[in-house]
Amino acid sequence: MSGVLVAGAGAFGTALAVTLAAEGRAVRLWARNAAQVGRMIADRENRRSLPGVTLPEALTPVADLAPAPGQTVLIAVPAQKLRAFLERNGSRLSGQRLVSCCKGVELSTGLRPSEVIAAALPDAETAVLTGPSFAADIARGKPTALTLAARDAATGRRLQAELSTETVRLYRTTDLAGAELGGALKNVIAIACGIAIGADLGDSARAALMTRGYAEMVRLATALGAEPATLAGLSGLGDLALTCTSLQSRNFAFGHALGQGTAFDPAKTVEGKATARAVAGLAAARGIDMPITTMVSAVLEESVTIAEAMDALLARPLKEED
């Protein structure tokens, strides 16, 4: 094994690098900012993204993105910055085995991360790693189960063996669409749930938003080619449950701040903001009913207030549950 390269030194990328290197595997963690790399080398800690976690000796921070031939590269950059990252580094990543760890839908195109990679690097071998996880839990060795999606079953088995650790268990699927859409769409519902809790609408309202939000997720994902069973698994229902119930989730915390009318750190990436707008557009273009997503998008665009959004949801026609 030639080791693993993790491209992206945010919280999740750092956590993946830490858990892989903790078992003695050679891991390189790439950050675009050379100064950040220098600090990680000196401190043996990524204080910017994952403070309090010691970087194992087998983990090497690097500023040069140069994967070895045939090396697995985990791409852990924000979904809305993925295309620019690939354009800058395409020559180095061409023909490599790439694992997308991005959660989102590209705002400008409506494409999933694996589709963005396929368009930019058609000769790359692409897989997806996603599921219910907080970076701090992974880095500190807390038990975590994730979804690994690869169209080729043999590739999935190889990556499963390479990327599993004692505390991170990977479950395989060949359904890239389901895995990616589950991970992206739940962020939008998490914002809605955060708003509800922040606005003191109660846990019953959150339960309703999670349940009806899950129905929206399945409705759109299956229309885009996903398997319903995938959405019922870790990367759909599992991730939804985690993200909608904890302030560790940036999407939930962002919605919570909106509901309370308080400020949220603008430096923190909230993937659900752009995804809400992208998905609302996809749903409208396809005639798919997604009222919660539509209201979240409208709130973010400030075309309606939170009170108006809640009134609109409560005024929807009474019908059978679907």
Side-chain angles (χ1 to χ4, degrees), residues 103 130-133 145-147 173 175 177-187 189-190 210 213-215 217-218 221 226-244:
K103 291 183 180 180
T130 186
S133 57
L146 300 175
T147 296
T173 181
D175 181 13
E180 288 184 296
L181 289 170
L185 299 176
K186 57 84 186 176
N187 283 336
I189 308 305
M210 289 176 65
Y214 177 71
M217 290 169 57
V218 174
E227 296 292 333
T230 307
L231 273 294
L234 289 166
S235 58
L237 184 58
D239 213 352
L240 179 72
L242 181 73
T243 310
C244 292

Side-chain angles (χ1 to χ4, degrees), residues 39-278:
R39 288 192 294 270
M40 286 192 288
I41 292 173
D43 300 338
R44 298 311 300 172
E45 182 181 344
N46 186 349
R47 294 181 181 175
R48 176 178 175 179
S49 302
L50 200 62
V53 175
T54 300
L55 303 183
E57 288 302 314
L59 191 161
T60 304
V62 297
D64 181 23
L65 186 67
Q71 185 176 46
T72 297
V73 181
L74 306 186
I75 300 179
V77 302
Q80 303 308 320
K81 296 182 179 180
L82 176 59
R83 188 178 295 274
F85 166 80
L86 296 172
E87 289 173 351
R88 286 194 305 269
N89 300 288
S91 61
R92 297 184 176 187
L93 297 174
S94 181
Q96 295 289 136
R97 184 166 54 250
L98 308 179
V99 180
S100 168
C101 304
C102 313
K103 291 183 180 180
V105 175
E106 190 175 48
L107 179 58
S108 60
T109 64
L111 296 178
R112 307 187 319 269
S114 68
E115 293 175 318
V116 175
I117 295 173
L121 300 173
D123 60 345
E125 185 179 22
T126 306
V128 171
L129 183 63
T130 186
S133 57
F134 290 138
D137 288 348
I138 291 176
R140 291 184 170 88
K142 304 297 185 183
T144 304
L146 300 175
T147 296
L148 175 68
R151 286 192 181 88
D152 178 67
T155 297
R157 286 191 291 271
R158 289 198 302 271
L159 287 171
Q160 184 181 42
E162 182 179 11
L163 302 177
S164 294
T165 72
E166 290 184 0
T167 56
V168 177
R169 184 178 179 87
L170 304 186
Y171 288 84
R172 297 191 316 273
T173 181
T174 57
D175 181 13
L176 270 69
E180 288 184 296
L181 289 170
L185 299 176
K186 57 84 186 176
N187 283 336
V188 181
I189 308 305
I191 292 175
C193 288
I195 291 172
I197 297 301
D200 197 27
L201 299 181
D203 287 325
S204 297
R206 170 165 49 187
L209 287 168
M210 289 176 65
T211 306
R212 299 312 304 155
Y214 177 71
E216 289 190 17
M217 290 169 57
V218 174
R219 200 177 299 137
L220 179 67
T222 52
L224 295 176
E227 296 292 333
T230 307
L231 273 294
L234 289 166
S235 58
L237 184 58
D239 213 352
L240 179 72
L242 181 73
T243 310
C244 292
T245 57
S246 173
L247 284 168
Q248 287 190 71
S249 160
R250 290 184 180 185
N251 293 279
F252 179 82
F254 170 73
H256 191 269
L258 278 180
Q260 287 190 321
T262 58
F264 185 82
D265 185 353
K268 292 183 176 180
T269 300
V270 180
E271 296 280 23
K273 291 196 293 184
T275 297
R277 295 168 59 197

